[in-house]
Amino acid sequence: MYPHHREREQPIFSARAHVFQIDPATKRNWIPASKHAVTVSFFYDANRNVYRIISVGGSKAIINCTVTPSMTFTKTSQKFGQWADSRANTVYGLGFATEQQLHQFSEKFREVKDAARLAREKSQDKELANTALSIAAPQSPPVMCVNGPEDKLFRSQSADITLSSEKERIKKMLSEGSICEINLEAELFTLQDSNSKLVAALHEANANVEQWKKQLAAYQEETERLREQVAELEAHGGQGPSDLLKDELTQSLEELEALLKAKDEEIHILQSKKAEYHEMEHDRDEAIHRLREMEMRNSDLERRIQNTEQNLNNSLEERDRMDSEIQRAVEILDIKIFDLNDLRQSMVKLIDK
């Protein structure tokens, strides 16, 4: 019933946006839910056939919304859209960087809402079919209680209730573990997205560094040449046009030195970005490690649920066996009562004679 390698919720679409929530007091003003743009993702749970919108900011979930057919995403401006979540009793707002990103998110919201509607219709059809089968199924005969088997039946039902409670408790633990796992997956997905952007920027920077080095060498040669010309002019001690040329050369020299300084700063910034990239890789490795630990924990919970279900099935079989014994006891008791009734009638006839 619960396979060992259970499919987890998978991200099907992601976008970067600033997240807002409606002010519960005024129902008019927007309250920022994130200090900066965060990743907002659509997730799909194949086991439950459920779609959710999830966004994680830091260590907490900013958005955890199950998409229903009644939801509607409304564009209120060129870069802003909103939708209402009746379960959370709030309204979410998303501010995008471009109009194209808003359009893509709106289209994905519409597709997911249609998919959620189809899933609900299939679920309702399945429930109606199950209801029809249960109505058409023959009803089990009423059980008459006899003092001896009644006690065993009571103990069997008590064990059934206990096992059901244990099963519900473990399912709750599994659900909590799944929520943590989904948050970790969203965090990992965000890290992977940032990692890919940093890698692209790093490759582009590495490609530009060589070009900048060549330009830097050319500027240094030009600077040395200009310095030599200035020194020659100063040695000749000329006046008039020579002073004007000297001023132009000095100005060009200053501009080249400023350009060299700017290039050095850009190289320093790229080196710091490279350090950030390594730090991001470390965070991604930690998230993967935590995700694997959560998968091991979920696997353990699944094994415990399987054991509980096995015990529950054994208990149900024991209860069915007790029901059969009780039924046989009732039939024997009916025969005995019938025999006693015949004996009483025979004794009455003898007394009357």
Side-chain angles (χ1 to χ4, degrees):
M1 187 174 183
Y2 292 90
H4 182 67
H5 297 286
R6 177 177 56 85
E7 290 188 6
R8 303 186 305 272
E9 285 185 313
Q10 297 293 333
I12 58 177
F13 177 81
S14 294
R16 300 280 294 181
H18 291 271
V19 180
F20 300 86
Q21 287 189 9
I22 200 71
D23 188 351
T26 62
K27 298 294 184 181
R28 293 182 180 180
N29 301 326
W30 289 105
I31 300 176
S34 61
K35 295 181 181 179
H36 49 79
V38 296
T39 301
V40 182
S41 303
F42 285 91
F43 280 82
Y44 174 60
D45 188 346
N47 291 330
R48 298 186 298 162
N49 204 11
V50 171
Y51 294 87
R52 291 203 295 169
I53 302 175
I54 295 176
S55 178
V56 178
S59 59
K60 67 175 183 178
I62 300 175
I63 302 176
N64 188 359
C65 171
T66 301
V67 180
T68 61
S70 60
M71 290 182 177
T72 301
F73 185 81
T74 305
K75 297 179 183 178
T76 57
S77 67
Q78 292 183 349
K79 299 180 181 180
F80 193 87
Q82 66 184 49
W83 81 94
D85 185 359
S86 59
R87 296 183 179 179
N89 194 23
T90 188
V91 178
Y92 293 107
L94 298 181
F96 295 89
T98 63
E99 185 177 357
Q100 181 181 4
Q101 292 178 355
L102 172 62
H103 178 71
Q104 291 175 352
F105 188 90
S106 176
E107 289 298 317
K108 180 57 65 173
F109 194 101
R110 182 181 58 80
E111 293 176 6
V112 169
K113 185 181 73 170
D114 293 340
R117 177 179 56 79
L118 293 175
R120 173 173 292 186
E121 291 176 355
K122 291 181 180 178
S123 177
Q124 290 176 350
D125 293 341
K126 185 176 180 181
E127 290 179 358
L128 290 174
N130 292 336
T131 304
L133 290 175
S134 62
I135 294 175
Q139 301 294 325
S140 59
V143 178
M144 295 181 63
C145 294
V146 184
N147 291 336
E150 178 185 6
D151 183 56
K152 294 181 179 180
L153 177 60
F154 177 76
R155 287 198 300 268
S156 175
Q157 291 176 343
S158 299
D160 187 5
I161 294 173
T162 303
L163 290 173
S164 299
S165 301
E166 179 68 14
K167 180 180 177 182
E168 292 298 326
R169 185 179 68 84
I170 294 178
K171 281 186 176 180
K172 183 179 179 181
M173 292 172 61
L174 182 61
S175 176
E176 292 175 352
S178 298
I179 292 174
C180 295
E181 184 180 348
I182 291 168
N183 292 337
L184 284 174
E185 287 181 349
E187 181 180 354
L188 178 61
F189 189 79
T190 303
L191 288 173
Q192 289 176 344
D193 183 54
S194 301
N195 184 31
S196 61
K197 292 180 180 178
L198 283 174
V199 169
L202 188 61
H203 288 326
E204 182 180 358
N206 289 333
N208 293 331
V209 163
E210 295 298 328
Q211 182 179 359
W212 289 342
K213 286 182 179 179
K214 293 179 180 179
Q215 290 180 358
L216 184 61
Y219 292 151
Q220 288 176 345
E221 292 178 359
E222 181 68 16
T223 300
E224 292 299 328
R225 188 180 64 81
L226 291 174
R227 285 182 186 276
E228 292 176 357
Q229 291 182 2
V230 170
E232 290 178 359
L233 290 173
E234 289 178 349
H236 286 86
Q239 301 294 329
S242 299
D243 292 336
L244 180 61
L245 179 60
K246 179 180 177 181
D247 293 338
E248 292 179 355
L249 292 175
T250 303
Q251 183 179 359
S252 300
L253 182 62
E254 291 176 352
E255 291 177 354
L256 286 173
E257 288 178 347
L259 184 59
L260 287 174
K261 185 178 179 181
K263 293 298 181 181
D264 289 337
E265 291 179 354
E266 289 181 0
I267 292 175
H268 180 70
I269 292 173
L270 289 174
Q271 290 175 348
S272 63
K273 285 186 176 181
K274 187 174 182 180
E276 292 178 359
Y277 165 72
H278 291 303
E279 183 179 354
M280 187 68 68
E281 281 190 336
H282 178 69
D283 293 340
R284 184 191 63 180
D285 293 337
E286 287 185 353
I288 292 174
H289 179 69
R290 291 166 59 189
L291 182 61
R292 288 175 179 172
E293 289 181 351
M294 189 61 64
E295 288 177 348
M296 293 176 62
R297 180 183 174 188
N298 285 347
S299 299
D300 181 63
L301 290 176
E302 288 172 359
R303 286 194 297 270
R304 292 174 61 184
I305 289 177
Q306 289 176 354
N307 294 334
T308 302
E309 287 188 339
Q310 183 63 36
N311 294 334
L312 180 60
N313 292 332
N314 294 337
S315 177
L316 292 175
E317 292 176 358
E318 179 67 18
R319 188 177 67 178
D320 293 338
R321 188 179 64 82
M322 292 300 302
D323 290 343
S324 299
E325 292 181 0
I326 291 172
Q327 188 65 30
R328 288 197 298 270
V330 169
E331 292 174 355
I332 294 172
L333 184 59
D334 290 339
I335 294 173
K336 296 295 183 182
I337 292 173
F338 184 76
D339 292 340
L340 288 173
N341 188 31
D342 288 342
L343 180 60
R344 185 181 65 81
Q345 291 179 358
S346 300
M347 293 179 66
V348 169
K349 290 179 181 180
L350 289 173
I351 294 172
D352 291 340
K353 291 180 179 180

